[in-house]
Amino acid sequence: MARRVGRSRFGQETIGFLLAQYVRFVQRTSRITTIPEDIDTAVAGATPLIVAMWHGQHLMVSFAWPDAIERMAALISRHEDAGAQAAALQYLGVTPVRGSGGPPDRARYKGGFPAMRELLRQLESGVSVAMTADVPKRARVAGLGIVTLAKLSGRPIAPTAVVTSRRIQFDTWDRASLGLPFSRAVVVVGDLVHVPADADDAAMEQARLAIQQGLDEAHRRAYAMVGATDPGANLRTA
């Protein structure tokens, strides 16, 4: 019964509203440090951006929303279990775009093609977009989807990590975490990654590795600044 309610439209909206209020409370009660110190200056002239994250960071994206970014959209899975996350993002002012990456033979089922078109439309209209760089069940392995989006849109990718000193750490495939109130929060934005419009396979792979390394370094620095070690640091080798 509870599972059916949680998957209903009303249940997802209710859970999403509560999640959004909780994230706002964590943000209001936390002391936030950003690297670089002035993110607005660092991304000046580069917006709209493609904000890259590892899985498990969707709800924390509002922490990394500088004044330079007026509007934000985020890619969220079409799976019914992700409905509450999509609703939460809407309450946080982020436009959810439903779809996800994966093998080409499953792209249509997972909504990858329509989602790519919508992300391109959002970027063309001046909206920055946030999306995970790793595909489901392949933690910390950047896929080519985000690289393709950058190539087609001409927009740079910003590897980003958000970590709180007090958090609930989940033993999931992506080592997702949920920040707790009254924390020290650290937002790290790495060097921007640019993908040329004429990028060949070798250049695409180089950009993919640059995103992967940028996210690894952003997470390493963020966790180090709160006195912790990134619990997902070894997931790729595992």
Side-chain angles (χ1 to χ4, degrees):
M1 176 66 177
R3 188 172 180 84
R4 288 201 301 271
V5 172
R7 288 186 171 182
S8 69
R9 179 65 179 270
F10 173 78
Q12 290 177 344
E13 287 289 330
T14 301
I15 295 170
F17 174 79
L18 294 173
L19 278 173
Q21 295 307 308
Y22 178 78
V23 170
R24 286 197 178 103
F25 180 64
V26 173
Q27 189 169 9
R28 284 197 302 267
T29 60
S30 296
R31 179 166 55 92
I32 301 175
T33 300
T34 63
I35 305 294
E37 184 176 351
D38 187 349
I39 295 180
D40 285 303
T41 299
V43 302
T47 56
L49 290 169
I50 301 169
V51 179
M53 308 169 290
W54 285 140
H55 259 86
Q57 290 256 296
H58 273 108
L59 293 179
M60 306 297 283
V61 71
S62 60
F63 283 63
W65 191 340
D67 292 338
I69 295 179
E70 294 183 4
R71 293 174 293 163
M72 179 76 77
L75 181 64
I76 296 289
S77 171
R78 291 176 67 181
H79 195 281
E80 58 187 356
D81 288 343
Q85 288 189 46
L89 287 174
Q90 281 190 307
Y91 284 114
L92 290 169
V94 179
T95 301
V97 175
R98 303 301 297 270
S100 60
D105 60 339
R106 298 194 67 196
R108 184 178 300 276
Y109 166 76
K110 300 180 75 174
F113 297 143
M116 177 67 75
R117 289 196 298 269
E118 178 59 21
L119 291 172
L120 284 169
R121 189 189 71 80
Q122 293 285 347
L123 288 165
E124 288 168 359
S125 65
V127 179
S128 291
V129 302
M131 62 184 292
T132 54
D134 47 348
V135 296
K137 306 304 180 183
R138 295 192 64 199
R140 304 296 178 95
V141 178
L144 285 173
I146 192 169
V147 182
T148 301
L149 179 63
K151 175 181 178 177
L152 295 176
S153 67
R155 306 314 309 164
I157 299 165
T160 304
V162 181
V163 174
T164 55
S165 58
R166 301 179 66 250
R167 61 194 175 278
I168 300 171
Q169 192 70 55
F170 299 104
D171 188 22
T172 54
W173 67 271
D174 55 1
R175 298 302 187 270
S177 63
L178 182 64
L180 292 171
F182 308 104
S183 296
R184 181 186 181 194
V186 176
V187 178
V188 177
V189 179
D191 294 335
L192 300 183
V193 178
H194 298 264
V195 183
D198 60 351
D200 59 12
D201 289 348
M204 294 280 281
E205 176 63 9
Q206 184 178 14
R208 187 191 72 80
L209 290 174
I211 296 163
Q212 192 166 277
Q213 292 163 3
L215 282 167
D216 283 347
E217 178 61 13
H219 277 257
R220 185 195 67 77
R221 292 187 69 183
Y223 274 99
M225 290 186 68
V226 298
T229 301
D230 179 5
N234 297 318
L235 287 177
R236 184 161 55 247
T237 55

